């Protein structure tokens, strides 16, 4: 087992959960995060058993011993290789904004590399800008798949609301060093400009070498009907371009005059075709 991660400068340490009380606290954090009515809560028994079979259930602990967050995942085989599926990560409200989620992810990475895992997978909502920034930019994971309504439209969690739970599945190469490399924004076609009323509109599906798909700055602050509009428009765009062989090449946080957006690049053959068409 890898040693504890360094706890400087804030005194927070990271380690696997050990006692029944700690696993129960992990369930309590799930309820705080997703609500007590969330249908997908992972019980203490599964948290413990998964860890005994090469999985991970680890926490971030304050100097006084309080658990501030946790990460949970399962290890198995895919196409003959050892892989890890990171199922949950949550940080208590009092500790958010300090990078604990990112630090938990790095600790999880070291734990699963120690058992021979080559790739880590997990999902996130493509409309949540802060998660796209963490997963694609800071951690350097790549988008492997877009799945419409992966967990259904009634998970029982107020956090998910009543819209379809579309998710991106990302893959993290555990053999490659993590390096934060800023990526310059490339000129491309914005597929879903926003009207003066804040409504996203899909403005065609052109064969351009680079396209951009905008998302809200804070989707959770929007009313349900507006969230649903964003979901429908971005879903159509992602599915159309990924089916054509485009790849998600980056994510940009945007600024006051520009919304956060994904950058998608065409495969070489598609790019050549788009160039010839433009000519």
């Amino acid at each position: 087992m890898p040693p504890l991660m360094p706890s400087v400068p804030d005194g927070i340490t990271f380690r696997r959960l050990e006692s029944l009380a700690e696993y129960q606290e992990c369930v309590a954090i799930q309820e705080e995060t997703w609500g007590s009515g969330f249908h997908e809560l992972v019980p203490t028994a599964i948290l413990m058993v998964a860890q005994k079979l090469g999985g991970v259930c680890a926490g971030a602990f304050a100097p006084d011993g309080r658990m501030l967050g946790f990460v949970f995942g399962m290890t198995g085989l895919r196409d003959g290789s050892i892989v890890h599926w990171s199922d949950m990560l949550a940080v208590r409200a009092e500790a958010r904004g300090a990078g604990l989620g990112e630090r938990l992810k790095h600790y999880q990475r070291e734990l699963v590399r120690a058992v021979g895992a080559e790739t880590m997978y997990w999902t996130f909502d493509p409309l949540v800008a802060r998660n796209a920034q963490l997963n694609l930019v800071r951690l350097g994971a790549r988008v492997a798949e877009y799945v419409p309504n992966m967990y259904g439209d009634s998970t029982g969690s107020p956090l998910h609301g009543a819209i379809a739970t579309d998710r991106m599945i990302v893959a993290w190469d555990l053999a490659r060093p993590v390096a934060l490399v800023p990526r310059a924004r490339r000129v491309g076609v914005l597929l879903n400009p926003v009207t003066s009323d804040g409504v996203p509109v899909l403005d065609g599906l052109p064969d351009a070498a680079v396209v951009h798909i905008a998302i809200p700055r804070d989707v959770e602050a929007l009313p349900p009907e507006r969230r649903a509009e964003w979901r429908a428009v971005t879903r159509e765009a992602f599915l159309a371009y990924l089916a054509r062989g485009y790849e998600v090449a980056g994510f940009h946080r945007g600024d006051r005059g520009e919304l956060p957006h994904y950058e998608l690049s065409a495969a070489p053959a598609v790019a050549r075709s788009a160039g010839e068409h433009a000519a």
Side-chain angles (χ1 to χ4, degrees), residues 93-272:
E94 70 205 59
R96 292 172 192 162
L100 280 189
E102 183 175 353
R103 293 162 70 184
L104 277 164
K105 214 70 181 174
H106 281 287
Y107 183 58
Q108 181 183 24
R109 176 188 178 96
E110 295 308 310
L111 291 175
V112 300
R113 286 186 67 193
V115 298
E118 300 176 359
T119 308
M120 187 188 300
Y121 296 93
W122 67 89
T123 68
F124 75 96
D125 186 338
L127 292 182
V128 180
R130 65 179 181 275
N131 289 347
Q133 175 73 13
L134 171 62
N135 296 327
L136 304 185
V137 179
R138 297 199 60 82
L139 296 178
R142 63 175 176 83
V143 174
E145 189 177 356
Y146 184 103
V147 183
N149 205 21
M150 185 168 182
Y151 303 113
D153 54 11
S154 181
T155 67
S157 172
L159 190 64
H160 295 155
I163 68 170
T165 53
D166 289 25
R167 293 293 182 265
M168 279 182 174
I169 298 177
V170 296
W172 201 17
D173 184 353
L174 302 181
R176 187 177 64 184
V178 178
L180 179 59
V181 180
R183 181 188 293 272
R185 183 188 188 279
R186 292 184 294 171
V187 175
V189 178
L190 176 62
L191 299 176
N192 57 330
V194 180
T195 69
S196 59
D197 295 328
V199 178
V201 179
L202 193 61
D203 190 21
L205 300 170
D207 287 328
V210 177
V211 298
H212 300 281
I213 300 176
I215 62 171
R217 286 191 177 86
D218 184 2
V219 68
E220 292 160 354
L222 298 177
E225 61 274 12
R226 188 54 47 82
R227 293 193 204 184
E229 292 169 344
W230 276 101
R231 178 72 83 214
V233 167
T234 54
R235 174 195 288 179
E236 183 175 353
F238 276 117
L239 291 179
Y241 283 90
L242 294 177
R244 295 183 195 178
Y246 283 66
E247 296 180 347
V248 178
F251 179 77
H252 305 278
R253 290 294 297 268
D255 53 33
R256 291 184 179 180
E258 183 180 56
L259 287 174
H261 57 277
Y262 295 85
E263 179 181 306
L264 281 70
S265 297
V270 177
R272 285 195 299 272

Side-chain angles (χ1 to χ4, degrees), residues 7-85:
S7 59
V8 295
D10 50 12
I12 295 173
T13 57
F14 300 80
R15 62 171 173 80
R16 290 182 183 271
L17 305 193
E18 298 172 352
S19 67
L20 176 60
E22 288 178 347
Y23 286 111
Q24 291 170 336
E25 187 70 6
C26 182
V27 174
I29 294 177
Q30 292 179 58
E31 293 178 335
E32 291 174 17
T33 304
W34 289 285
S36 59
F38 183 41
H39 305 324
E40 308 299 327
L41 289 173
V42 181
T44 56
I46 299 301
L47 297 172
M48 287 189 287
V49 169
Q51 181 138 263
K52 290 180 180 295
L53 298 177
V56 170
C57 192
F61 294 86
D64 63 1
R66 177 170 167 79
M67 191 188 303
L68 300 177
F70 78 94
V71 65
F72 165 71
M74 299 159 284
T75 302
L77 292 176
R78 182 171 185 174
D79 299 327
S81 297
I82 300 176
V83 300
H84 184 80
W85 186 281

